[in-house]
Amino acid sequence: MEPLILGIETSCDETALALYSNKGLIENLVYSQSEHQAYGGVVPELAAREHLEKLPRLFKQLLQSANIQPKSITHIAVTCGPGLIGALLVGHNFAQGLAQALNIPLIPIHHLEAHIAAAFINTTFEPEPFLTLLVSGGHTQILLTNGIGNYQLLGQTLDDAAGEAFDKTAKVMGLGYPGGPKIEQKAQDATQPVALPKALKLRKDAMMSFSGIKTAARQHYLEHQKQPLVVENIAQGLQACIAEQLTRKVNTAIKTTGVKKLVVSGGVSANQFIRSYLEKHSLTETVLFPDLKYCTDNAAMVAYLGYLRRFDDIHFEIRARWPIEELNPPKNL
């Protein structure tokens, strides 16, 4: 029977379902929860309740859109970490009940590994070693990827994630949540970008830090908020400062490993300024990004990774924290 993988993603504030088969991605639905905007960030309990309400409706919509019956699904891949524990549990419980009803296997998916896989949806996962820059609201890491399930951590943030710096700065300046797209939009009108401190320049490793940048941006805004275009100039300064540090640390990893192919994934990889900066200033020979619609949390990447891991027999455990280095390669590779 031809494999048909149902992917389920509920790790944070996106409720998402997708279908993947030998022919590639069939359908991908994402509901982005707007309720959190009033709070300036994700409220975990609210996110879990929204997943609980939206999952059955999205599943029905998915079946109708793809014109398939539930019995055609052969596997269910569901994100089980890292993420918000309540949100993950909702997705897991829905997936587990459906898997038992259909008598089909359940595949636990690591959220960050799914983001890495997102760059290869509808293609073949890169067989040769490459560097991965995972950059989102919750994670900022540089990894040496030697294949699916084979990751070596080279560097990560010591404090805030890059996306967190975007979100918190946007909140201070009254732009709302999520902050990344709003910062990027405002930055286009900057006339005199604010120079923010470049973190960890004396360190020779690939470790990163974004807390000081966020604090400097906040302080500048509080001191100059009445000046014209202050929001726009801080937005561009923040983008430029984060892009510079990411690129500098990627170049350190390239010098350390000799690997010059880079995959950039996670929500912040949708930022066009950061994409362009990495392409122009990194020491890479090749830089790959997921399609924009697969940068933020989605189920297409979950279903695709489930397709690659469909032969696995992995112990299932919901984990709010889950180091990606603990993963193993799929059994069929």
Side-chain angles (χ1 to χ4, degrees):
M1 185 176 181
E2 180 180 347
L4 179 61
I5 318 299
L6 170 65
I8 300 175
E9 160 61 29
T10 63
S11 65
C12 192
D13 60 337
E14 265 81 32
T15 311
L17 295 172
L19 291 166
Y20 202 94
S21 73
N22 287 338
K23 298 176 183 178
L25 184 64
I26 297 173
E27 189 62 82
N28 180 45
L29 300 179
V30 180
Y31 171 76
S32 295
Q33 301 175 1
S34 60
E35 293 78 4
H36 306 280
Q37 293 178 5
Y39 303 96
V42 177
V43 181
E45 303 241 345
L46 179 58
R49 288 199 297 269
E50 282 294 298
H51 291 312
L52 189 63
E53 179 185 348
K54 293 298 187 298
L55 271 175
R57 300 181 186 181
L58 276 180
F59 182 58
K60 182 178 180 180
Q61 182 182 345
L62 184 78
L63 297 178
Q64 291 175 344
S65 179
N67 192 26
I68 67 163
Q69 297 296 317
K71 63 182 180 181
S72 299
I73 300 170
T74 62
H75 302 75
I76 300 177
V78 57
T79 304
C80 61
L84 303 175
I85 195 70
L88 291 167
L89 283 168
V90 172
H92 166 255
N93 290 342
F94 181 84
Q96 187 177 50
L98 189 58
Q100 290 179 351
L102 297 174
N103 193 28
I104 57 177
L106 197 60
I107 308 168
I109 295 297
H110 191 290
H111 182 69
L112 299 185
E113 184 173 47
H115 272 301
I116 297 173
F120 305 101
I121 292 172
N122 291 326
T123 62
T124 301
F125 196 94
E126 175 60 53
E128 299 296 326
F130 59 88
L131 293 175
T132 298
L133 173 61
L134 273 170
V135 55
S136 68
H139 301 85
T140 303
Q141 298 180 335
I142 299 174
L143 303 160
L144 175 60
T145 300
N146 290 300
I148 302 170
N150 190 342
Y151 308 102
Q152 178 186 348
L153 181 65
L154 301 177
Q156 62 184 339
T157 180
L158 297 168
D159 38 60
D160 292 350
E164 188 178 356
F166 278 128
D167 288 338
K168 290 183 176 179
T169 303
K171 183 177 181 179
V172 166
M173 297 193 299
L175 299 180
Y177 176 87
K182 294 178 173 62
I183 291 287
E184 184 175 9
Q185 182 180 12
K186 287 292 185 181
Q188 295 175 9
D189 296 322
T191 56
Q192 292 181 307
V194 175
L196 296 173
K198 297 179 179 179
L200 305 185
K201 289 200 70 174
L202 297 181
R203 288 189 64 145
K204 304 302 181 183
D205 56 23
M207 301 303 286
M208 294 166 279
S209 171
F210 301 96
S211 178
I213 299 169
K214 172 202 67 181
T215 301
R218 176 181 182 274
Q219 190 63 33
H220 186 92
Y221 176 75
L222 294 177
E223 294 176 358
H224 303 89
Q225 56 186 298
K226 294 183 179 180
Q227 292 183 357
L229 295 177
V230 64
V231 170
E232 290 78 0
N233 290 333
I234 290 174
Q236 178 54 24
L238 183 67
Q239 273 193 159
C241 191
I242 289 175
E244 185 278 332
Q245 185 180 171
L246 291 174
T247 304
R248 173 164 35 95
K249 295 302 184 174
V250 162
N251 286 342
T252 297
I254 291 172
K255 294 173 184 177
T256 301
T257 63
V259 176
K260 293 188 176 182
K261 185 165 191 172
L262 175 68
V263 171
V264 187
S265 59
V268 177
S269 70
N271 183 290
Q272 295 298 310
F273 180 88
I274 290 177
R275 285 189 176 215
S276 178
Y277 196 97
L278 280 163
E279 288 174 332
K280 291 179 180 178
H281 300 288
S282 68
L283 300 174
T284 55
E285 295 176 351
T286 306
V287 184
L288 297 179
F289 301 91
D291 288 344
L292 288 177
K293 58 181 173 288
Y294 305 137
C295 289
T296 53
D297 292 351
N298 65 88
M301 65 185 190
V302 175
Y304 172 59
L305 184 55
Y307 177 81
L308 298 178
R309 285 190 169 275
R310 66 189 184 277
F311 300 107
D312 287 3
D313 181 19
I314 307 174
H315 172 66
F316 207 105
E317 181 182 1
I318 300 298
R319 299 177 63 175
R321 297 182 181 274
W322 188 5
I324 195 171
E325 311 94 277
E326 296 180 5
L327 293 176
N328 294 311
K331 285 189 174 182
N332 58 313
L333 294 181

